[in-house]
Structures are given as C-alpha cells and as structure tokens.
Amino acid sequence: MIHASTAGGRCFPNAGNTLRIDTEAEWPRQLDDLGDTRPLGLWVRGRPGLRLWALRSVAVVGARACTEYGAHMAATLAAGLAERGWVVVSGGAYGVDGAAHRGALGAGGATAAVLACGVDRPYPPGHTALLTRIADQGLVLGELPPGDHPTPSRFVLRNRVIAALTRGTVVVEAAHRSGSLVTARAAARLGRHVMGVPGPATSGLSAGVHELLRGEAVLVTDADEITELVGGMGELAPERRGPVLPTDLLEPGTRQVLAALPARGAATAADIARGAGTAPDDAVARLYELRALGYVERHGDDWKLTRQTTISVRGGRDPR
C-alpha cells in the first residue's frame, strides 16, 4: 500500500498529499539493484504509479551552467521521449535538468524530479514554479523526509536513485567533474544503458561527455536513437542517410564509369574503362548512357563531365 502522511515544513501549493512508498505494491523493484545502498523508502508528491512509470523511464541529466545548445538538446530529447510514451527523469536542477523537465511537460508527457532534499522543499528555489508544475502533472520524489535540506553529499546519493530507477541515463553536456557523470557511472555499474550527446570538441562543458563516449557510453543525437537502446524489440531508429541524388539511381557499373571520369579535363574510353575496372566496350556503352542523361559529353575520342555535373555531382549536390 501507499501510506499517506502530513508533510512538515513548506508544501508546494496545490500539489496534493505527500506519500511515502515503502511497501511492495508501489515499490520500483529496480531500486533493489542498489543492494545495501537501496533507499529505505521514498517520499512522493504528485500522481501515484511510480512503479509503472519507472518501468518505462529514461534519465536526462547534465550541466547546471549549460549552454544554449545543451538546453536545446535536453528539451528536444525529452520532448521526443515524452511523445513516444517514455517518462523523463531528472534532478530538478538548473540547466539541463530544468530543460529536460520543461521539454517533457511541453510535449504533454510525463516527467519525474528526484530531489536531494525533502519533497516539500522546492530546491533550487528558482524552480519553485517548475517543481510545482511537475508535482501537479507528474512526480516529485526523494528518499529524505519532508523538511530535510540538501547538502553536497545528498546530491551524490540522489544520483544513484536516478541511475537505478531508469532504463538508461543520457548525459547532455558535462565537464570532467560534473555530478551528472556520477549518475552515468552509477548507471553503468548497475548494467543500465549509458548515453551521451556530443558537443563541440573545444567546449569544456562537453569534455566529460566525450570521455564517457570513449568508454562505456553510446553516442545519441535524438529520441529515436535513445529508444532504440532502452526500448523493446522493434523500436529501431530510422536509417540515417543524406538526400537521394539522381546518381544513386544509376546502375552500379554506370556509377563506377561516371566516378572514373576526371574532375577536370577529358579522358579516353580506354582510360575510363581502366579506372572503372571494366572492359572498353562496356565503358563506351555506359558513357553513351551517361551522355543521354546529361552527365557527360564527348569531345572527339575523349569524354568529360558536363559543366553541370562537375559543379553538382562533385560537390555532393543534386544536379537536378
């Protein structure tokens, strides 16, 4: 059962009752993976059903002092996950955490904030309105009793709950000593998926993420790639490729002949055949095909790319 109790200290306005989960019916069993460091119980504000929510949840964490890029990526990923029916879990902090919560809420989805203090204490204070909204539409939870204040050590303890509660952790911007890396490494130890969003190689706020990506983390850039890792069978990200060019529709042998023509100047059919690895007669037949399509032109015994092909195809653009 879920036991209701009266919260001490300040309460979120209109957030409903504070609930303590310490029984099997609502307990998220993945927290048992923490062994002896498992929370004795959880205090929850908001909608019930944490156990079911946790089964389909992803943590999105990162730098508090994030860049505009980091905030954009966190919000976009969270919105995409929410639209696909995933619960976005984060720590309610400034920066990436707040952007992730807002992204999920903005998409009309589910989000949960795990706090390092009593769930009746809006922390950070600047996120009072956001945490109130999360409690109204989602869940605010923590293992500390109402009224408890946050301390540096409690943030580290909080991070293990985020890691254990979710199917995987996505890190969006993190310096080498970021607390979000603690969450990611805890997730790795627990056998959860660890993912990282790449940033500029020159950005110190992406250095920690890049270090993760060199080790246990998988690079992700959108919600499809995240759900491919944490989701069930068949939840595959679409294949990524550039636009289809007219040359993609050519027969492989014809594309080889086209690729064998020099970028500048002309070449004989024999030279083109050698470059394409085919017989001269085959090369000539394909050159006439390419001429009919407007890719090449003949100059006496030589062949060359048309001006349009030189500009478009060699530049990777559609000549049409």
Side-chain angles (χ1 to χ4, degrees):
M1 293 179 63
I2 302 177
H3 302 289
S5 65
T6 304
R10 293 175 294 160
C11 296
F12 293 126
N14 304 317
N17 291 329
T18 298
L19 306 172
R20 186 170 185 210
I21 299 174
D22 55 8
T23 55
E24 242 181 85
E26 281 292 334
W27 184 254
R29 292 186 179 175
Q30 53 266 58
L31 290 180
D32 295 339
D33 293 344
L34 290 168
D36 293 340
T37 64
R38 184 195 95 150
L40 298 177
L42 291 174
W43 295 85
V44 178
R45 295 194 71 92
R47 299 170 54 181
L50 174 61
R51 181 175 179 178
L52 289 177
W53 274 31
L55 292 174
R56 194 172 169 84
S57 66
V58 178
V60 179
V61 298
R64 286 178 173 82
C66 68
T67 65
E68 185 177 341
Y69 163 77
H72 169 77
M73 288 303 300
T76 301
L77 293 175
L81 288 168
E83 289 167 355
R84 289 159 179 76
W86 286 84
V87 178
V88 176
V89 177
S90 199
Y94 294 131
V96 166
D97 288 15
H101 291 305
R102 291 187 182 95
L105 291 169
T111 188
V114 183
L115 303 187
C117 55
V119 295
D120 62 324
R121 307 193 67 84
Y123 188 87
H127 273 179
T128 299
L130 175 61
L131 292 169
T132 298
R133 187 180 173 196
I134 294 171
D136 287 341
Q137 296 181 227
L139 292 170
V140 175
L141 63 133
E143 62 184 299
L144 296 172
D148 269 21
H149 296 270
T151 64
S153 62
R154 286 175 173 177
F155 285 106
V156 175
L157 291 173
R158 183 274 308 272
N159 291 347
R160 87 195 192 289
V161 174
I162 294 176
L165 194 64
T166 53
R167 298 282 295 272
T169 293
V170 183
V171 183
V172 183
E173 287 196 326
H176 278 301
R177 296 176 62 84
S178 171
S180 56
L181 299 184
V182 175
T183 307
R185 287 167 182 145
R189 288 194 299 271
L190 291 165
R192 309 292 196 261
H193 294 285
V194 180
M195 295 153 278
V197 177
T202 54
S203 173
L205 279 175
S206 290
V209 180
H210 295 162
E211 189 65 27
L212 281 177
L213 291 172
R214 294 183 63 199
E216 62 267 41
V218 175
L219 186 151
V220 293
T221 59
D222 61 23
D224 284 329
E225 293 174 349
I226 296 170
T227 55
E228 181 177 58
L229 285 172
V230 301
M233 190 175 294
E235 292 188 70
L236 299 177
E239 182 182 355
R240 305 293 199 272
R241 57 171 297 166
V244 176
L245 300 175
T247 52
D248 296 331
L249 306 177
L250 297 173
E251 289 289 329
T254 305
R255 286 203 303 272
Q256 283 181 278
V257 169
L258 180 61
L261 273 90
R264 297 175 184 274
T268 66
D271 289 336
I272 295 167
R274 278 193 295 272
T278 188
D281 289 346
D282 179 62
V284 170
R286 295 186 187 277
L287 285 167
Y288 275 108
E289 177 188 347
L290 289 167
R291 187 176 74 166
L293 293 171
Y295 288 112
V296 302
E297 55 192 22
R298 185 176 179 182
H299 293 267
D301 292 332
D302 294 337
W303 297 83
K304 65 181 294 186
L305 296 173
T306 62
R307 183 173 181 275
Q308 185 180 19
T309 304
T310 301
I311 295 171
S312 303
V313 176
R314 296 294 181 179
R317 295 187 297 274
D318 187 338
R320 304 297 178 195

